[in-house]
Amino acid sequence: MPPPTANMPGVASAPSQRPENDWQGFSKNLKEVVNLCRQEATVRAEKSNISPYNALLQLYEPGVFTQELDQLFGDLKTWLPDYIQDALDHQSSVSIIEPEGPFPTEKQKALGVDVMQLLGFDFDHGRLDVSTHPFCGGVSEDTRLTTRYKDSNFVEALMGIIHETGHARYQQNLPEQNRELPIAFYRSMGIHEGQSLFFEMQLGRSAPFLSLIQPLIVKHLCNGTSQPAMALANLEKIYTRVRPGFIRVDADEITYPAHIILRYEIERDLVEGNIEVDDIPELWQQKMQDYLGLDVAGDHRNGCMQDIHWPMGSFGYFPSYTLGAMVAAQLFAAQKKAMPDIEELIQHGHLSPIFDWLKSNIWSQGRQYSTAELLTRATGEPLSASYFQQHLKKRYLG
């Protein structure tokens, strides 16, 4: 679920500059955007008596401040690089059979619709379409989600659908009472991302869920006759593969937070005036090397020019993605305590108790509680990085 659009200088020219790796032209436009965002941040900061970056952060994560982010992300940085390396070492001897296409779009969509029905999406109040980037939007009465298809690869589209269905279920189940008032809106982008990542990462990539949908994959994509790549054990390997890369949107579950922490640290210092736009490429290269061991020097197209957020002025949005991953892990851990047989329920397709729990504890609560109180009421404590750490350790290092 990308950030809301904005009319900012530089947005129109950015698409041509990225393919040409034109950092000079891109940075010229970005400086105008940063200048305006700093002005906006200063006004907001003066009115709310907080720092400029915190003032922008409130647009996406009300009640969350850099002090909490620095603590949560600082925790991740103490163990995440070692986890990534350990996962790579663990998977170095794992062989994966690549699925052989083509997988026609209409068959992939039919598969996606079946999975959405399993996940409880209300097709009487929403639909699935195609776009260049997976997205979910609309209102509770009419929730639209999209994905993108490649005939050579069904993996990406299917998980895109599952991810966006998490957003959609949240949107469709917000409070019906006072729906036109802010109290019935979603709590924050971190909580919203938490729902999509619950669906995709905690549920969708789990062995029990893959076991549940594997027959559907065979039915729709293999004419009922499975190829070796569609065997459950191989699908589990595909959906938990770790491969550090330059591009955030293509990152796997365990390397993705490194991409977010990198961006958070740069945009925080940029808005606060501690660094300038001209400093971004060197900082990007340094942090990519430190966090992921990758060299992106000079490749701005696959480095600091790849996202839409900064050109459109959405400073303060990036933290929501990793906050969401933490939220998802903490919610699932709480569900395990409430439903010790949750994995068996998933494997047999009995998903209603899981969704009922989410609706009762998160979806129906709207914005009546702060993020910390909402999570405390649902899980017994405010947001913690420990559940995300435990989840990654079990899935990738176990």
Side-chain angles (χ1 to χ4, degrees):
M1 188 174 186
T5 56
N7 295 318
M8 301 296 290
V11 175
S13 57
S16 63
Q17 290 162 352
R18 185 186 174 196
E20 297 169 5
N21 200 38
D22 179 14
W23 168 251
Q24 185 174 0
F26 184 91
S27 65
K28 180 180 178 181
N29 291 322
L30 184 59
K31 287 174 183 177
E32 296 183 46
V33 178
V34 170
N35 179 47
L36 289 175
C37 286
R38 283 174 172 173
Q39 292 180 48
E40 177 189 357
T42 298
V43 173
R44 291 181 178 276
E46 290 174 350
K47 295 296 183 180
S48 53
N49 197 32
I50 54 180
S51 72
Y53 182 75
N54 275 319
L56 297 184
L57 184 62
Q58 300 313 296
L59 298 174
Y60 311 103
E61 297 299 329
V64 175
F65 300 94
T66 54
Q67 182 178 2
E68 181 178 357
L69 291 179
D70 290 343
Q71 180 179 350
L72 289 169
F73 292 171
D75 184 344
L76 259 67
K77 287 170 63 176
T78 63
W79 51 263
L80 187 62
D82 288 341
Y83 271 36
I84 293 172
Q85 187 57 55
D86 289 347
L88 290 171
D89 293 342
H90 185 70
Q91 294 187 5
S92 62
S93 60
V94 173
S95 60
I96 296 178
I97 305 171
E98 299 295 342
E100 297 180 5
F103 304 108
T105 294
E106 62 271 17
K107 292 188 176 182
Q108 290 192 57
K109 182 172 182 179
L111 169 62
V113 168
D114 275 2
V115 173
M116 288 172 68
Q117 289 174 333
L118 270 178
L119 295 173
F121 181 82
D122 181 1
F123 279 96
D124 290 333
H125 295 91
R127 54 182 288 165
L128 170 67
D129 290 294
V130 179
S131 69
T132 56
H133 186 82
F135 183 81
C136 177
V139 295
S140 299
E141 297 82 1
D142 185 7
T143 304
R144 308 294 182 92
L145 63 91
T146 69
T147 195
R148 57 188 173 196
Y149 299 100
K150 296 178 182 176
D151 284 357
S152 61
N153 180 4
F154 75 91
V155 172
E156 180 180 306
L158 181 56
M159 279 301 154
I161 287 172
I162 293 173
H163 179 100
E164 299 304 334
T165 300
H167 281 305
R169 290 300 315 272
Y170 187 20
Q171 190 68 38
Q172 289 183 332
N173 287 279
L174 288 170
E176 295 183 8
Q177 188 176 11
N178 299 318
R179 183 157 281 179
E180 73 282 2
L181 299 178
I183 196 171
F185 291 5
Y186 61 85
R187 170 62 252 170
S188 71
M189 286 313 306
I191 295 295
H192 225 313
E193 290 296 336
Q195 307 317 296
S196 61
L197 292 171
F198 181 100
F199 273 58
E200 179 192 355
M201 298 301 183
Q202 299 296 320
L203 182 61
R205 294 177 190 264
S206 70
F209 189 78
L210 290 173
S211 173
L212 174 65
I213 67 171
Q214 189 261 357
L216 293 176
I217 294 173
V218 172
K219 171 188 172 183
H220 287 287
L221 303 183
C222 304
N223 297 318
T225 304
S226 180
Q227 55 175 272
M230 303 306 191
L232 178 59
N234 195 65
L235 288 174
E236 291 176 8
K237 295 174 186 177
I238 290 173
Y239 278 111
T240 55
R241 178 161 38 190
V242 178
R243 291 190 296 191
F246 297 133
I247 306 300
R248 174 185 61 86
V249 296
D250 294 334
D252 55 77
E253 182 180 24
I254 195 169
T255 62
Y256 195 96
H259 289 271
I260 297 305
I261 294 171
L262 176 156
R263 288 156 172 79
Y264 162 67
E265 291 175 342
I266 292 177
E267 72 173 15
R268 176 198 61 200
D269 291 346
L270 187 64
V271 171
E272 296 289 348
N274 298 322
I275 62 172
E276 298 298 333
V277 170
D278 290 337
D279 299 319
I280 292 176
E282 183 177 351
L283 287 168
W284 194 285
Q285 160 66 5
Q286 175 189 328
K287 292 177 184 294
M288 283 292 285
Q289 187 69 51
D290 291 344
Y291 300 163
L292 290 171
L294 298 176
D295 184 354
V296 72
D299 185 5
H300 310 300
R301 177 180 56 196
N302 291 315
C304 52
M305 292 171 62
Q306 68 181 266
D307 301 296
I308 64 172
H309 303 63
W310 292 347
M312 68 192 293
S314 294
F315 292 92
Y317 188 99
F318 277 123
S320 297
Y321 292 116
T322 291
L323 290 177
M326 295 181 185
V327 167
Q330 190 160 326
L331 292 178
F332 197 74
Q335 284 199 357
K336 284 183 178 180
K337 293 179 181 178
M339 294 174 270
D341 60 343
I342 190 169
E343 293 187 354
E344 185 176 346
L345 291 174
I346 294 170
Q347 187 171 357
H348 291 92
H350 303 315
L351 305 180
S352 294
I354 295 171
F355 302 143
D356 290 345
W357 189 96
L358 287 171
K359 182 176 181 179
S360 175
N361 288 281
I362 303 295
W363 300 345
S364 65
Q365 301 305 309
R367 196 176 281 192
Q368 63 177 316
Y369 303 114
S370 68
T371 298
E373 186 174 356
L374 179 67
L375 287 173
T376 299
R377 293 171 67 92
T379 71
E381 61 183 296
L383 186 61
S384 167
S386 63
Y387 296 100
F388 185 50
Q389 181 180 9
Q390 293 166 19
H391 162 68
L392 294 180
K393 185 176 183 179
K394 179 180 179 182
R395 175 168 288 177
Y396 297 97
L397 307 181

